[in-house]
Amino acid sequence: MQAMPTVPGAKAAAPKAAPAGVPLWHLLPLRVYLGYAFLKAGLAMQGAFLVENQLRGLFAQWAPGNPHPIARTFLDGRGQLWSELIAYGVAYAAMIIGIALTAGLFTRGTALVASLLVCATLALGGHTDPGLMARGQLMLVAL
């Protein structure tokens, strides 16, 4: 295929502009607030939650009335065995999510991981507290 000859004095076609939409800086306060909320939650888990393995007690509390059979099986079985490892993973993931959202790093991927963390929390323990369910749903909408 031959290249088209250029005409002297002709201007090259300008690239098409992106469609007009909501400017991304309007989302800055929401992103910073979500980052703050996750960072605060991750830092709050650093004390007795990790040292005393309080997640094991939460799993035992959430298991009996859980309406999801797979979640109930996990909470009674593997969740009890791996509760210490899961607690460290959740605490540090929340802190990393908070830092990344506040700093604006990998925001879409970070929001996806954050929404998975919130969904897991709602599936495992959302049935126990209406406040937890409401906050989780608002977090999902915001993410």
Side-chain angles (χ1 to χ4, degrees):
M1 186 170 176
Q2 290 182 337
M4 298 287 290
T6 58
V7 178
K11 291 186 177 181
K16 292 185 178 181
V22 176
L24 296 180
W25 59 270
H26 284 289
L27 298 175
L28 179 68
L30 180 63
R31 181 177 52 82
V32 170
Y33 172 74
L34 288 171
Y36 168 75
F38 273 96
L39 184 61
K40 182 179 172 185
L43 290 174
M45 291 182 212
Q46 294 301 314
F49 183 78
L50 294 179
V51 174
E52 298 171 5
N53 195 9
Q54 291 179 356
L55 189 63
R56 177 176 286 185
L58 280 175
F59 281 177
Q61 178 185 358
W62 291 347
N66 199 309
H68 310 291
I70 295 173
R72 189 172 41 249
T73 303
F74 170 77
L75 290 170
D76 283 334
R78 299 287 183 194
Q80 291 292 326
L81 294 175
W82 298 342
S83 62
E84 188 172 354
L85 179 65
I86 294 169
Y88 277 97
V90 167
Y92 288 116
M95 285 189 344
I96 291 170
I97 288 168
I99 291 168
L101 284 177
T102 304
L105 302 172
F106 314 111
T107 53
R108 290 182 183 168
T110 304
L112 176 67
V113 172
S115 62
L116 291 175
L117 185 65
V118 171
C119 283
T121 304
L122 291 179
L124 294 176
H127 65 283
T128 60
D129 181 18
L132 175 67
M133 182 64 83
R135 285 188 305 273
Q137 290 172 347
L138 284 174
M139 279 287 208
L140 284 176
V141 168
L143 286 167

